Amino acid sequence: MNTPSLALWRIGGIMRGLREDRGYTLRQAAKILGTNKDRLDRVESAKNQRCDPGTVTGWAFKYGADEKVINDLDALAMQTLDADARGWEEVFTTTPKWFTAFLSLEAEAIAMYSYDTAYIPGLLQIRAYMEAVLAADPFRTLDEVEETIRLRLLRQDSVFSRPPGKIARMRFVLDEACLLRIRHEPWYEEQLQRLRELDALGPVEIYILPMDRGIHAGMKGAFMIMSFDGAYSPEVVYLESEYGARYIDERRAVARFREVSSITLAQVVRIEEYLSNVES
């Protein structure tokens, strides 16, 4: 998956779900819909810049989709035609395009599972942690550091200041190394307190994977799984690296990450229990 707009991605997920539920190959579906295989594939893969509402709703009707699905497709397709839509990249000019796609997905997700091996994820960081991590990056200018901090703080406010019942269900699993690496920092206790506060929020759960668990299924690296509301909205796995990000929404691939997360969760302890054991 590349980095399309959220609307295009959701349209692709709906169209692919409608086709797969009916057992059609791309070639078979294209014949039924009166189009060609490449055109249908571009819509399902969110490779277009815009999407014609009449086309996708017409295809959904031929698939026998219900009225709600058709209305959802129409609304999403209209969003792709809105030239005045203001994206994150217009507000934060140094934010890479591959990350603006993540910001849109994060804002729409109803559930997130995050596994991290080296550092505490941005949503959980205090400002001092952000400053330290970003200062260690040799490729960022001071202006980029300040803008990144401003963006992270805004993300935190956007996610955690929602009304009760509107905060996404979130599970964060941190390898113990994430905490051991910063235990001598002057702001260490402040960061721990922030983790405690967030873990106390009903929909938020923070876990630690202790080092004494030894070799485990999640050692290949960090990842995040995001889930969404609505018909045929697939889950997305987000993988980030120094050079960009990958977005994976193929069902079998996502299922593998789900399996790893299930195995890993069987070995973790809740943050409060972990800290109580460490402090005792």
Side-chain angles (χ1 to χ4, degrees):
M1 180 179 176
N2 295 318
T3 55
S5 74
L6 180 61
L8 288 169
W9 171 78
R10 293 191 66 181
I11 289 169
I14 292 172
M15 296 308 302
R16 184 170 58 253
L18 288 170
R19 174 178 62 80
E20 291 179 346
D21 278 359
R22 286 151 181 79
Y24 298 144
T25 65
L26 274 170
R27 192 176 301 279
Q28 290 169 333
K31 185 175 181 179
I32 291 169
L33 300 178
T35 187
N36 62 69
K37 172 178 170 290
D38 290 341
R39 186 184 182 197
L40 178 57
D41 181 54
R42 288 188 65 82
V43 172
E44 289 191 7
S45 303
K47 293 178 180 177
N48 296 323
Q49 295 299 312
R50 294 177 177 81
C51 197
D52 176 59
T55 297
V56 292
T57 56
W59 288 352
F61 180 79
K62 289 182 179 180
Y63 276 140
D66 62 36
E67 184 178 358
K68 183 181 185 307
V69 171
I70 292 174
N71 288 339
D72 286 347
L73 279 169
D74 183 63
L76 289 167
M78 289 299 295
Q79 289 179 32
T80 72
L81 304 180
D82 184 4
D84 296 324
R86 184 173 172 81
W88 285 94
E89 66 271 20
E90 297 179 48
V91 181
F92 296 93
T93 56
T94 65
T95 302
K97 289 187 179 297
W98 56 262
F99 193 65
T100 60
F102 171 81
L103 296 173
S104 296
L105 294 173
E106 181 181 70
E108 291 290 327
I110 62 169
M112 291 185 282
Y113 172 91
S114 175
Y115 171 67
D116 289 275
T117 59
Y119 70 101
I120 297 169
L123 284 179
L124 308 183
Q125 296 172 5
I126 61 171
R127 184 182 180 96
Y129 187 106
M130 298 177 197
E131 292 173 346
V133 169
L134 294 170
D137 185 342
F139 303 107
R140 292 182 189 268
T141 66
L142 289 177
D143 287 344
E144 288 172 339
V145 167
E146 282 304 313
E147 183 163 293
T148 300
I149 290 174
R150 189 161 62 94
L151 173 57
R152 285 188 188 173
L153 293 173
L154 183 60
R155 284 174 56 210
Q156 291 178 0
D157 183 65
S158 174
V159 170
F160 295 123
S161 65
R162 297 173 187 172
K166 297 295 184 180
I167 298 177
R169 301 188 308 276
M170 289 176 277
R171 278 182 170 176
F172 295 92
V173 175
L174 310 180
D175 192 285
E176 188 179 12
C178 298
L179 300 183
L180 296 179
R181 191 176 301 279
I182 62 170
R183 61 182 173 178
H184 297 302
E185 298 290 347
W187 38 263
Y188 176 63
E189 292 297 332
E190 181 185 354
Q191 179 63 72
L192 293 185
Q193 181 58 31
R194 179 58 174 165
L195 295 178
R196 282 186 164 114
E197 291 170 356
L198 292 174
D199 185 62
L201 294 176
V204 181
E205 300 173 6
I206 301 175
Y207 298 90
I208 304 299
L209 181 60
M211 300 289 281
D212 63 14
R213 296 298 191 265
I215 295 173
H216 59 86
M219 292 178 65
K220 291 181 180 178
F223 63 91
M224 175 181 283
I225 305 174
M226 291 180 278
S227 305
F228 304 88
D229 194 15
Y232 302 104
S233 291
E235 292 185 309
V236 172
V237 172
Y238 172 75
L239 304 174
E240 185 176 323
S241 69
E242 179 67 37
Y243 203 63
R246 287 187 64 198
Y247 298 84
I248 302 171
D249 59 355
E250 198 275 320
R251 290 180 179 179
R252 286 175 295 181
V254 173
R256 291 189 60 166
F257 284 93
R258 272 290 174 204
E259 180 66 17
V260 171
S261 69
S262 296
I263 295 171
T264 304
L265 279 170
Q267 299 176 279
V268 302
V269 294
R270 197 73 176 256
I271 180 72
E272 192 60 51
E273 179 184 349
Y274 168 81
L275 293 176
S276 296
N277 292 337
V278 170
E279 294 166 357
S280 61

